[in-house]
Amino acid sequence: MSLSGKKILIAVSGGIAAYKIHFLIRDFVKKGAEIQVIMTPDAENFVTKLSISTLSKKPVYTDFYSDNGTWNSHVEMALWADVMIVTPCTANTLAKMVHGMCDNLVIATYMSAKCPVFIAPAMDLDMYAHPSTKKNLELAESFKHIIIPAENGELASGLIGQGRMAEPETIAKRIEDFFNSTIEKTLEGKTVLITAGPTYEALDPVRFIGNHSSGKMGFSLAEEASKRGAKVILISGPSSQIINDKNVELHKVTSAKEMLAKVFEFYDTIDIGIASAAVADYAPKEVAKEKIKKNDDNPTIELIKNPDILKTMGEKKTHQFLVGFALETQNEEENAKGKLEKKNLDMIVLNSLRDEGAGFKNDTNKIKIFTKTGKKEFTLKSKEDVAKDILDFVEVQLLK
Ligand code: C5P
């Protein structure tokens, strides 16, 4: 999941659960979010500015002024944020928030914020159950803030009950779900089939011919299409990528023949077909029943051509919009345009192994897109962002 470019303001108040913030920040940063952390003065008793700023890659503020005499503008930080999360939110900070007791940087920033505010309370069980906390949480909800409830379990006091701050994964999931829900459902009602990953062509029961494709590009496309409301059929060769999305139907295959058969189980029902798989062009003619033994000869392997899945899709095209990939090392544009014609495609995505950071093993890619009449060039981006560019382009073509 990508939080690329999302601006997240994290306000930490003084509770023992503050140590969990490190994990939350690391997760957000990994997913591409920009993080600004502010803390109440008391939070510094639990975590250090240094540990947090190292992870968030930005200075952490606890006061309106820094030691070097600069003004830490609560208004600027508040208006910069796409979301604000107060975590852990102590009983004291919660009370100050809902009653406008603006006596520190966290509350002043909160009161200047126009973005959605998430609150993850953390306190001892009796404080959490106290009528004043309950009332304050109700007030926060009436302000349209989103409460991520405290969980049941062992508390710092040694008591057991509700009051533990939600785990960082739970908080991260709520934030990701929030950002997903803001995405326009531009592919609602469409079925998108995506091939991904490598294929493995067996030589014997233990060996195969394969390639270095990670499957990341295809999985990123599947995730992005699903966020836009599409039903996604993802047909992947062996890959360590995982996907957890109820709108994505994942079918795992091994060889090109299996991939072809799986594609044509669904072909008539799809609106868009995207072939990002690195399908092996050849397979061994014979698959040995037993493991091939080592001997003194130099063996030769006879290969036969694999089916070209995308070309077959192009030949049988009725209404489907077809997108191919071309991974080239020379005469890139000419080869890509040739494949667009030969495979009867509507669009082809070219990535050149000559571009640093592009290609199958990287987390980034640099692409050019060709249609029969147009061309668009993109900069080096994360594969999640490349998936967005590709689907934006598909959507524009579908509207034509
Ligand atoms: O011809 P080439 O392998 O370069 O074409 C690449 C495009 O064709 C990719 O979209 C790839 O997924 C698809 N392809 C396929 N079946 C093959 C070979 C390639 O679907 N056997």
Side-chain angles (χ1 to χ4, degrees), residues 8-237:
I8 303 177
L9 177 65
I10 298 180
V12 183
S13 63
I16 180 67
Y19 80 91
K20 294 185 186 174
I21 290 313
H22 299 99
F23 302 101
L24 186 64
I25 295 170
R26 200 177 53 176
D27 184 43
F28 282 156
V29 169
K30 253 195 205 159
K31 289 171 180 161
E34 264 187 79
I35 306 295
Q36 175 64 61
V37 180
I38 51 174
M39 307 204 290
T40 63
D42 199 34
E44 269 202 274
N45 293 323
F46 296 92
V47 287
T48 68
K49 283 182 181 172
L50 182 65
S51 64
I52 292 191
S53 67
T54 307
L55 293 169
S56 69
K57 304 181 198 304
K58 273 199 185 148
V60 175
Y61 303 117
T62 48
D63 209 341
F64 294 96
Y65 316 92
S66 291
D67 290 343
N68 62 5
T70 48
W71 167 248
N72 307 322
S73 171
H74 57 281
V75 176
E76 224 168 78
M77 288 189 283
L79 298 182
W80 164 88
D82 294 322
V83 293
M84 177 175 189
I85 321 169
V86 187
T87 175
C89 184
T90 59
N92 180 42
T93 290
L94 174 67
K96 285 184 182 174
M97 285 167 71
V98 295
H99 295 289
M101 290 175 64
C102 193
D103 66 349
N104 65 37
L105 178 73
V106 164
I107 306 297
T109 310
Y110 156 73
M111 291 182 71
S112 311
K114 291 185 176 162
C115 61
V117 176
F118 288 74
I119 298 173
M123 59 198 82
D124 211 53
L125 77 166
D126 293 318
M127 296 169 78
Y128 196 61
H130 196 280
S132 67
T133 303
K134 284 191 170 160
K135 199 88 210 144
N136 287 341
L137 285 172
E138 276 168 30
L139 269 175
E141 272 178 328
S142 74
F143 298 166
K144 304 270 180 282
H145 300 338
I146 302 143
I147 312 296
I148 305 174
E151 293 173 358
N152 254 304
E154 198 177 330
L155 301 161
S157 61
L159 297 174
I160 294 175
Q162 194 175 9
R164 278 170 69 94
M165 188 180 86
E167 291 303 321
E169 304 84 65
T170 310
I171 298 175
K173 174 90 175 46
R174 287 296 294 271
I175 300 299
E176 286 170 15
D177 286 350
F178 163 76
F179 281 121
N180 281 346
S181 68
T182 62
I183 294 174
E184 246 191 283
K185 302 292 175 231
T186 40
L187 289 175
E188 186 107 68
K190 299 265 187 250
T191 302
V192 181
L193 181 144
I194 298 167
T195 67
T199 63
Y200 286 180
E201 311 299 332
L203 280 157
D204 68 16
V206 292
R207 303 182 182 97
F208 59 83
I209 297 175
N211 60 66
H212 291 300
S213 169
S214 63
K216 180 131 209 282
M217 193 64 250
F219 277 67
S220 299
L221 281 160
E223 216 166 65
E224 184 60 27
S226 161
K227 281 188 212 161
R228 296 178 184 209
K231 176 184 169 200
V232 181
I233 298 160
L234 175 60
I235 302 173
S236 173

Side-chain angles (χ1 to χ4, degrees), residues 325-338:
F325 274 75
L327 179 70
E328 304 293 335
T329 55
Q330 53 184 347
N331 297 333
E332 288 96 336
E333 298 202 4
E334 216 177 295
N335 287 338
K337 284 191 219 153

Side-chain angles (χ1 to χ4, degrees), residues 195 275-281 306-311 323-328 339 343:
T195 67
S276 70
V279 184
D281 290 324
N306 257 338
D308 189 320
I309 302 167
L310 184 57
K311 188 157 177 275
V323 182
F325 274 75
L327 179 70
E328 304 293 335
K339 282 173 193 170
K343 302 194 186 198

Side-chain angles (χ1 to χ4, degrees), residues 1 13 52 62 87 115 201 213 220 243 270 287 291 338 351-352 366-367:
M1 138 67 54
S13 63
I52 292 191
T62 48
T87 175
C115 61
E201 311 299 332
S213 169
S220 299
I243 198 152
I270 68 166
V287 181
K291 186 178 170 197
N351 37 124
S352 164
K366 185 170 185 304
I367 60 160

